[in-house]
Coordinates of all heavy atoms in Angstrom, one line a residue:
V1648 N -6.7 15.2 11.1 CA -5.9 15.9 12.0 C -4.6 15.2 12.3 O -4.5 14.1 12.9 CB -6.6 16.2 13.4 CG1 -5.8 17.0 14.3 CG2 -8.0 16.9 13.1
G1649 N -3.5 15.9 11.9 CA -2.1 15.3 12.2 C -1.6 15.8 13.6 O -2.1 16.8 14.1
I1650 N -0.6 15.1 14.1 CA 0.0 15.5 15.4 C 0.6 16.8 15.2 O 1.5 16.9 14.4 CB 1.0 14.5 15.9 CG1 0.6 13.0 15.6 CG2 1.4 14.7 17.3 CD1 -0.7 12.6 16.1
P1651 N 0.2 17.9 15.9 CA 0.8 19.2 15.7 C 2.3 19.3 15.9 O 2.8 18.7 16.8 CB 0.0 20.1 16.7 CG -1.2 19.4 17.1 CD -0.8 17.9 17.0
G1652 N 2.9 20.0 15.0 CA 4.4 20.1 15.1 C 4.9 21.5 15.4 O 6.0 21.7 15.8
T1653 N 3.9 22.5 15.3 CA 4.4 23.9 15.5 C 4.9 24.2 16.8 O 6.0 24.9 16.9 CB 3.2 24.8 15.1 OG1 3.0 24.8 13.6 CG2 3.4 26.3 15.5
P1654 N 4.3 23.9 17.9 CA 4.9 24.2 19.3 C 6.3 23.6 19.4 O 7.2 24.2 20.0 CB 3.9 23.6 20.3 CG 2.6 23.6 19.5 CD 3.0 23.2 18.1
A1655 N 6.5 22.3 18.9 CA 7.8 21.7 19.1 C 8.8 22.4 18.2 O 10.0 22.6 18.6 CB 7.7 20.2 18.6
L1656 N 8.4 22.9 17.0 CA 9.3 23.7 16.2 C 9.7 25.0 16.9 O 10.9 25.3 16.9 CB 8.7 23.9 14.8 CG 9.7 24.6 13.8 CD1 9.3 24.2 12.4 CD2 9.7 26.1 13.9
W1657 N 8.8 25.7 17.5 CA 9.1 26.9 18.2 C 10.1 26.7 19.3 O 11.1 27.4 19.4 CB 7.8 27.5 18.8 CG 6.8 28.1 17.8 CD1 7.1 28.3 16.4 CD2 5.5 28.5 18.0 NE1 6.0 28.8 15.8 CE2 5.0 28.9 16.7 CE3 4.7 28.5 19.1 CZ2 3.7 29.4 16.6 CZ3 3.3 29.0 19.0 CH2 2.9 29.4 17.7
A1658 N 9.8 25.7 20.1 CA 10.7 25.4 21.2 C 12.1 25.0 20.7 O 13.1 25.5 21.3 CB 10.1 24.3 22.1
K1659 N 12.2 24.2 19.7 CA 13.5 23.8 19.2 C 14.2 25.0 18.5 O 15.5 25.1 18.7 CB 13.3 22.7 18.1 CG 14.6 22.1 17.7 CD 14.3 20.8 16.8 CE 15.6 20.3 16.2 NZ 16.6 20.0 17.2
A1660 N 13.5 25.8 17.8 CA 14.2 27.0 17.1 C 14.8 27.9 18.2 O 15.9 28.4 18.0 CB 13.2 27.7 16.3
L1661 N 14.0 28.1 19.3 CA 14.5 29.0 20.3 C 15.7 28.3 21.1 O 16.7 29.0 21.3 CB 13.4 29.3 21.3 CG 12.3 30.2 20.8 CD1 11.1 30.3 21.8 CD2 12.8 31.6 20.4
R1662 N 15.6 27.0 21.3 CA 16.7 26.3 22.0 C 18.0 26.3 21.1 O 19.1 26.6 21.6 CB 16.2 24.9 22.2 CG 16.6 24.3 23.5 CD 16.0 23.0 23.9 NE 15.7 22.1 22.7 CZ 14.5 21.7 22.5 NH1 13.5 22.1 23.2 NH2 14.3 20.9 21.4
D1663 N 17.8 26.0 19.8 CA 19.0 25.9 19.0 C 19.6 27.2 18.5 O 20.8 27.3 18.3 CB 18.6 25.0 17.7 CG 18.3 23.6 18.1 OD1 18.4 23.2 19.3 OD2 17.9 22.8 17.2
Y1664 N 18.7 28.2 18.2 CA 19.3 29.4 17.6 C 18.9 30.7 18.4 O 19.5 31.7 18.1 CB 18.7 29.6 16.2 CG 18.7 28.3 15.3 CD1 17.5 27.8 14.8 CD2 19.9 27.7 15.0 CE1 17.6 26.7 14.0 CE2 19.9 26.6 14.2 CZ 18.7 26.1 13.7 OH 18.8 25.0 12.9
G1665 N 17.9 30.6 19.2 CA 17.3 31.9 19.8 C 18.0 32.3 21.1 O 19.0 31.7 21.5
T1666 N 17.5 33.4 21.6 CA 18.1 33.9 22.9 C 16.9 34.0 23.9 O 17.2 34.2 25.1 CB 18.7 35.4 22.7 OG1 17.6 36.3 22.4 CG2 19.7 35.4 21.6
L1667 N 15.7 34.0 23.4 CA 14.5 34.1 24.3 C 14.0 32.7 24.8 O 14.2 31.7 24.1 CB 13.4 34.8 23.6 CG 13.6 36.3 23.3 CD1 12.3 36.8 22.6 CD2 13.9 37.1 24.5
S1668 N 13.4 32.7 25.9 CA 12.6 31.5 26.3 C 11.3 31.5 25.6 O 10.8 32.5 25.0 CB 12.3 31.6 27.8 OG 11.5 32.7 28.1
L1669 N 10.7 30.3 25.5 CA 9.3 30.2 24.9 C 8.4 31.1 25.7 O 7.5 31.8 25.1 CB 8.9 28.7 25.0 CG 7.6 28.4 24.2 CD1 7.8 28.5 22.7 CD2 7.1 27.0 24.6
N1670 N 8.6 31.2 27.0 CA 7.8 32.0 27.9 C 7.8 33.5 27.3 O 6.7 34.1 27.2 CB 8.3 32.0 29.3 CG 7.4 32.6 30.3 OD1 6.6 33.5 29.9 ND2 7.5 32.2 31.5
A1671 N 9.0 34.0 27.0 CA 9.1 35.4 26.6 C 8.6 35.5 25.1 O 7.9 36.5 24.8 CB 10.5 35.9 26.7
A1672 N 8.9 34.6 24.3 CA 8.6 34.7 22.9 C 7.1 34.7 22.6 O 6.6 35.2 21.6 CB 9.3 33.6 22.1
L1673 N 6.3 34.0 23.5 CA 4.9 33.9 23.2 C 4.0 35.0 23.9 O 2.8 35.0 23.7 CB 4.4 32.5 23.7 CG 5.0 31.3 23.0 CD1 4.2 30.0 23.3 CD2 5.0 31.4 21.5
K1674 N 4.7 35.8 24.7 CA 4.0 36.8 25.5 C 3.2 37.8 24.5 O 2.0 38.1 24.8 CB 4.9 37.6 26.4 CG 4.7 37.3 27.8 CD 5.5 38.2 28.7 CE 5.8 37.4 30.0 NZ 7.0 37.8 30.7
P1675 N 3.9 38.3 23.5 CA 3.2 39.3 22.7 C 1.9 38.7 22.0 O 0.9 39.3 21.9 CB 4.2 39.7 21.6 CG 5.5 39.3 22.2 CD 5.3 38.2 23.1
A1676 N 2.0 37.4 21.6 CA 0.9 36.8 20.9 C -0.3 36.6 21.9 O -1.4 36.8 21.6 CB 1.3 35.4 20.4
E1677 N 0.1 36.2 23.2 CA -0.9 36.1 24.2 C -1.7 37.4 24.4 O -2.9 37.5 24.5 CB -0.3 35.6 25.5 CG -1.4 35.5 26.6 CD -0.7 35.2 28.0 OE1 0.4 34.6 28.0 OE2 -1.3 35.6 29.0
R1678 N -0.9 38.5 24.4 CA -1.4 39.8 24.6 C -2.4 40.2 23.5 O -3.4 40.7 23.6 CB -0.3 40.9 24.7 CG -0.6 42.0 25.7 CD 0.6 42.9 25.8 NE 1.8 42.3 26.4 CZ 3.0 42.4 25.9 NH1 3.2 43.0 24.8 NH2 4.0 41.7 26.5
L1679 N -1.9 39.9 22.2 CA -2.7 40.2 21.0 C -4.0 39.4 21.1 O -5.1 40.0 20.7 CB -1.9 39.8 19.8 CG -2.3 40.3 18.4 CD1 -2.4 41.8 18.4 CD2 -1.2 39.8 17.4
A1680 N -4.0 38.2 21.5 CA -5.2 37.4 21.6 C -6.1 37.9 22.6 O -7.4 38.0 22.4 CB -4.9 35.9 21.9
A1681 N -5.6 38.4 23.7 CA -6.4 38.9 24.8 C -7.0 40.3 24.5 O -8.2 40.5 24.8 CB -5.6 38.9 26.1
N1682 N -6.1 41.1 24.0 CA -6.6 42.5 23.7 C -7.3 42.7 22.4 O -8.1 43.6 22.2 CB -5.4 43.5 23.7 CG -4.7 43.5 25.1 OD1 -5.4 43.1 26.1 ND2 -3.5 44.0 25.1
G1683 N -7.0 41.8 21.4 CA -7.7 41.8 20.2 C -7.0 42.5 19.1 O -6.0 43.2 19.3
F1684 N -7.5 42.3 17.9 CA -7.0 43.0 16.7 C -8.1 43.4 15.9 O -9.3 42.9 16.0 CB -6.0 42.0 15.9 CG -6.7 40.8 15.4 CD1 -7.3 40.8 14.1 CD2 -6.8 39.6 16.1 CE1 -8.0 39.6 13.6 CE2 -7.5 38.5 15.7 CZ -8.0 38.5 14.4
V1685 N -7.9 44.4 15.0 CA -9.0 44.9 14.1 C -9.2 44.0 12.9 O -8.2 43.7 12.2 CB -8.6 46.4 13.7 CG1 -9.7 46.9 12.8 CG2 -8.4 47.3 14.9
V1686 N -10.4 43.6 12.8 CA -10.8 42.7 11.7 C -10.6 43.4 10.3 O -11.1 44.5 10.1 CB -12.2 42.2 11.8 CG1 -12.7 41.4 10.6 CG2 -12.4 41.4 13.1
D1687 N -9.8 42.8 9.4 CA -9.7 43.3 8.1 C -10.5 42.5 7.1 O -11.1 41.5 7.5 CB -8.2 43.5 7.7 CG -7.5 42.1 7.5 OD1 -8.2 41.1 7.6 OD2 -6.3 42.1 7.4
K1688 N -10.5 42.9 5.8 CA -11.4 42.3 4.8 C -11.0 40.8 4.6 O -11.8 40.0 4.5 CB -11.3 43.1 3.5 CG -12.3 42.6 2.5 CD -12.4 43.6 1.4 CE -13.3 43.1 0.3 NZ -13.3 41.7 0.0
T1689 N -9.7 40.6 4.6 CA -9.2 39.2 4.4 C -9.8 38.3 5.5 O -10.3 37.2 5.2 CB -7.7 39.1 4.4 OG1 -7.2 40.0 3.4 CG2 -7.2 37.7 4.1
F1690 N -9.6 38.7 6.8 CA -10.1 37.9 7.9 C -11.6 37.7 7.8 O -12.1 36.6 8.0 CB -9.7 38.5 9.2 CG -10.1 37.7 10.4 CD1 -9.3 36.6 10.8 CD2 -11.3 38.0 11.1 CE1 -9.7 35.9 11.9 CE2 -11.6 37.2 12.2 CZ -10.8 36.2 12.6
A1691 N -12.3 38.8 7.5 CA -13.8 38.7 7.4 C -14.2 37.8 6.2 O -15.1 36.9 6.3 CB -14.4 40.1 7.2
D1692 N -13.5 37.9 5.1 CA -13.8 37.1 3.9 C -13.6 35.6 4.2 O -14.3 34.7 3.8 CB -13.0 37.5 2.7 CG -13.5 38.8 2.1 OD1 -14.6 39.3 2.5 OD2 -12.8 39.4 1.2
Q1693 N -12.4 35.3 4.8 CA -12.1 33.9 5.1 C -13.1 33.3 6.1 O -13.4 32.1 6.0 CB -10.7 33.8 5.7 CG -9.6 34.1 4.6 CD -8.2 34.0 5.2 OE1 -8.0 34.0 6.4 NE2 -7.2 33.9 4.4
T1694 N -13.5 34.1 7.1 CA -14.5 33.6 8.0 C -15.8 33.3 7.3 O -16.4 32.3 7.5 CB -14.8 34.6 9.2 OG1 -13.5 35.1 9.6 CG2 -15.5 34.0 10.3
A1695 N -16.2 34.3 6.4 CA -17.5 34.1 5.7 C -17.5 32.9 4.8 O -18.4 32.1 4.8 CB -17.8 35.3 4.9
A1696 N -16.3 32.6 4.2 CA -16.2 31.5 3.3 C -16.3 30.2 4.0 O -16.6 29.1 3.5 CB -14.9 31.6 2.5
N1697 N -16.0 30.2 5.3 CA -15.9 29.0 6.1 C -17.1 28.9 7.1 O -17.2 27.9 7.8 CB -14.7 28.9 7.0 CG -13.5 28.4 6.2 OD1 -13.4 27.2 5.9 ND2 -12.6 29.3 5.7
A1698 N -18.0 29.9 7.1 CA -19.0 30.0 8.1 C -19.9 28.7 8.2 O -20.2 28.2 9.3 CB -19.9 31.2 7.9
E1699 N -20.2 28.2 7.0 CA -21.1 27.1 7.0 C -20.5 25.9 7.7 O -21.1 25.2 8.5 CB -21.5 26.7 5.5 CG -22.7 25.9 5.4 CD -23.1 25.6 4.0 OE1 -22.9 26.5 3.1 OE2 -23.6 24.5 3.7
R1700 N -19.2 25.6 7.3 CA -18.7 24.4 7.9 C -18.3 24.6 9.4 O -18.3 23.8 10.2 CB -17.5 23.8 7.1 CG -16.2 24.6 7.1 CD -15.2 24.0 6.2 NE -13.9 24.6 6.3 CZ -12.8 24.1 6.8 NH1 -12.8 22.8 7.2 NH2 -11.7 24.7 6.9
F1701 N -17.9 25.9 9.7 CA -17.6 26.2 11.1 C -18.8 26.0 12.0 O -18.7 25.6 13.1 CB -17.1 27.7 11.2 CG -15.7 27.9 10.8 CD1 -14.9 26.9 10.4 CD2 -15.1 29.2 10.9 CE1 -13.5 27.1 10.0 CE2 -13.8 29.5 10.6 CZ -13.0 28.4 10.1
S1702 N -20.0 26.3 11.4 CA -21.2 26.2 12.2 C -21.6 24.8 12.6 O -22.4 24.6 13.5 CB -22.4 26.9 11.5 OG -22.7 26.1 10.4
V1703 N -20.9 23.8 12.0 CA -21.2 22.4 12.4 C -20.5 22.1 13.8 O -20.9 21.2 14.5 CB -20.6 21.5 11.3 CG1 -20.6 20.0 11.8 CG2 -21.4 21.6 10.0
F1704 N -19.4 22.9 14.1 CA -18.6 22.7 15.3 C -18.9 23.8 16.3 O -18.5 24.9 16.1 CB -17.1 22.6 15.0 CG -16.8 21.6 13.9 CD1 -16.5 21.9 12.6 CD2 -16.7 20.2 14.3 CE1 -16.2 21.0 11.7 CE2 -16.4 19.3 13.3 CZ -16.2 19.6 12.0
P1705 N -19.7 23.5 17.3 CA -20.2 24.6 18.2 C -19.0 25.4 18.8 O -19.2 26.6 19.0 CB -20.9 23.8 19.4 CG -21.2 22.5 18.8 CD -20.3 22.2 17.7
E1706 N -17.9 24.8 19.1 CA -16.8 25.5 19.7 C -16.2 26.5 18.7 O -15.9 27.6 19.0 CB -15.7 24.5 20.2 CG -14.6 25.2 21.0 CD -15.1 25.6 22.4 OE1 -16.2 25.2 22.9 OE2 -14.3 26.4 23.0
T1707 N -16.1 26.0 17.5 CA -15.6 26.9 16.4 C -16.5 28.1 16.1 O -16.1 29.2 16.0 CB -15.4 26.1 15.1 OG1 -14.6 24.9 15.4 CG2 -14.7 26.9 14.0
A1708 N -17.8 27.8 16.1 CA -18.8 28.9 15.9 C -18.7 29.9 17.1 O -18.8 31.1 16.9 CB -20.2 28.3 15.9
K1709 N -18.5 29.4 18.3 CA -18.5 30.2 19.5 C -17.2 31.2 19.4 O -17.3 32.4 19.6 CB -18.3 29.4 20.7 CG -18.4 30.2 22.0 CD -17.9 29.4 23.2 CE -16.4 29.6 23.5 NZ -15.9 28.8 24.6
V1710 N -16.1 30.6 18.9 CA -14.9 31.4 18.9 C -14.8 32.3 17.7 O -14.4 33.5 17.8 CB -13.6 30.5 19.0 CG1 -12.3 31.3 18.8 CG2 -13.6 29.7 20.3

Side-chain angles (χ1 to χ4, degrees):
V1648 181
I1650 318 311
T1653 289
L1656 185 151
W1657 290 348
K1659 185 171 175 55
L1661 292 172
R1662 221 172 28 240
D1663 293 357
Y1664 314 120
T1666 67
L1667 293 181
S1668 63
L1669 190 66
N1670 190 335
L1673 299 190
K1674 250 185 211 160
E1677 180 188 330
R1678 213 175 301 131
L1679 196 53
N1682 297 342
F1684 61 92
V1685 177
V1686 171
D1687 64 9
K1688 190 169 173 318
T1689 303
F1690 184 80
D1692 287 351
Q1693 289 180 344
T1694 313
N1697 279 286
E1699 197 179 328
R1700 72 183 186 115
F1701 281 1
S1702 65
V1703 171
F1704 304 101
E1706 188 72 13
T1707 307
K1709 185 193 95 183
V1710 173

